[in-house]
Amino acid sequence: MMIQLYKIKEALLIFTLLLLGVLRVNAQIGFGVGNPINPVEISTDAGKVVIDNMGRLGVLVPSPKVAVDLRSGNNGSIAIGNTDKTASQAGAGALRYVASPAIGVKGYLEFSDGINWVSFFPKGKPRIVVMANKITQDTYVFESATPSEIGTKSGIVQRRSSYLTNWVEKLDSDSGVPTNNFDPATGEFVAPRTGVYFATFTFALQSSQVNTGGNNQTEAIWEVRNTGGTITQRVKTNNGYASDTGASPNAVPVGSACTVSVYLNKGDKLRPFTWITVAFDGTISQFDISGSGAYNSLTIVEQ
């Protein structure tokens, strides 16, 4: 009985060794390939798909250099779709394609940083887009020869530098992702990164506020301050108006607009303000807020 048991164990050992030898000999698997040299080789009409000894996948690439190598001339594209997973669920490094259009964009790629989905910014694609209009009379006088005049006002004080405040934000996005780069309460935009920004704003006054005398003018001005609060740029448009602009039957809204392309460093602040003289010194003119503030608008687009 003991001899028979020993022979059975010996036979099992020999079988196991033979099996391991067979597996070792046949470690390469080929589909449509006679003598594969990689662990896995699959023959297709376009070429081979291989998995090498390091576990690297090559699609029509015989010697992959990275984990997944698709660099096979004009046939190296890859397609990915969207996902409803959060960035943390997908994990850092995950990719997805978002088909929902943003402003001027039909679709874009995002990657997960482990917390948020972050958009890529390819050349020619709008990135930062801010749109707002103004339906209030709110301004802030920040430059005046009379210190007591500094502060919030309802309307534009003649011959004083006044920020346009309390805008209605329509859009503040970075390639379709909502951001808070624009502060509608102050009208101030903070550049999230260094680059060139295209900015325009317009405003209009009620026609009854225009002086029937001479020297009527309105100035729309973009101001740039650095992170230390120092003014680095001021660009303005100065519009003049005839003395009878505000008189019936010629009563029309007057105002100004300023459009600029400015270079901003990360953290620089871009803000619109105005200086006007269409009435007596120190008096206040009111914005024309008809049409839901259509005359008073602001747009900022990253180039």
Side-chain angles (χ1 to χ4, degrees):
M1 188 69 177
M2 290 294 294
I3 295 175
Q4 290 178 344
L5 183 60
Y6 175 78
K7 288 183 177 180
I8 292 173
K9 289 182 177 180
E10 185 178 33
L12 288 173
L13 178 60
I14 293 171
F15 176 77
T16 301
L17 292 173
L18 288 173
L19 179 60
L20 290 173
V22 170
L23 291 176
R24 178 67 178 178
V25 170
N26 294 291
Q28 288 77 27
I29 300 174
F31 296 90
V33 180
N35 297 297
I37 59 174
N38 289 289
V40 177
E41 292 189 15
I42 302 172
S43 177
T44 72
D45 290 341
K48 288 183 181 180
V49 177
V50 305
I51 298 177
D52 67 10
N53 291 320
M54 301 297 293
R56 295 174 296 205
L57 172 66
V59 179
L60 311 185
V61 178
S63 300
K65 304 299 183 183
V66 293
V68 178
D69 201 331
L70 308 176
R71 293 170 290 187
S72 58
N74 294 326
N75 297 313
S77 61
I78 184 172
I80 59 174
N82 206 339
T83 178
D84 56 4
K85 289 185 177 181
T86 65
S88 60
Q89 289 172 337
L95 292 173
R96 71 176 182 180
Y97 174 75
V98 181
S100 301
I103 298 298
V105 181
K106 293 184 177 179
Y108 52 94
L109 291 175
E110 291 183 329
F111 69 91
S112 168
D113 63 4
I115 300 175
N116 299 303
W117 286 107
V118 182
S119 299
F120 285 94
F121 307 121
K123 181 179 179 180
K125 172 181 173 180
R127 295 188 269 183
I128 300 298
V129 179
V130 173
M131 293 182 177
N133 68 345
K134 185 170 172 55
I135 58 175
T136 72
Q137 299 296 336
D138 298 337
T139 64
Y140 184 88
V141 174
F142 66 97
E143 286 180 349
S144 173
T146 306
S148 61
E149 290 182 338
I150 303 298
T152 58
K153 306 295 178 182
S154 180
I156 305 176
V157 182
Q158 304 295 313
R159 299 174 185 150
R160 309 292 189 268
S161 295
S162 302
Y163 290 127
L164 279 62
T165 57
N166 284 337
W167 295 79
V168 178
E169 182 181 290
K170 299 297 184 180
L171 182 68
D172 182 0
S173 74
D174 191 341
S175 296
V177 179
T179 63
N180 57 356
N181 298 312
F182 178 70
D183 184 348
T186 63
E188 186 175 75
F189 169 79
V190 180
R193 52 184 169 265
T194 299
V196 177
Y197 293 80
F198 177 86
T200 184
F201 84 96
T202 66
F203 72 91
L205 304 175
Q206 296 175 14
S207 58
S208 60
Q209 301 290 320
V210 180
N211 188 0
T212 56
N215 301 319
N216 294 317
Q217 65 181 41
T218 60
E219 296 180 1
I221 308 163
W222 279 109
E223 176 186 84
V224 179
R225 292 178 183 262
N226 62 22
T227 54
T230 301
I231 297 171
T232 59
Q233 297 183 66
R234 275 185 175 176
V235 184
K236 72 177 179 179
T237 299
N238 183 3
N239 287 21
Y241 295 92
S243 61
D244 62 350
T245 302
S248 178
N250 303 313
V252 294
V254 302
S256 193
C258 186
T259 299
V260 297
S261 284
V262 291
Y263 181 84
L264 302 178
N265 290 304
K266 181 179 179 180
D268 282 355
K269 299 176 180 179
L270 180 66
R271 195 172 185 182
F273 76 92
T274 184
W275 186 96
I276 67 172
T277 174
V278 294
F280 294 108
D281 184 38
T283 58
I284 296 179
S285 291
Q286 300 292 300
F287 291 103
D288 184 340
I289 58 174
S290 61
S292 299
Y295 290 117
N296 314 303
S297 62
L298 173 153
T299 302
I300 301 170
V301 179
E302 185 179 10
Q303 300 292 279

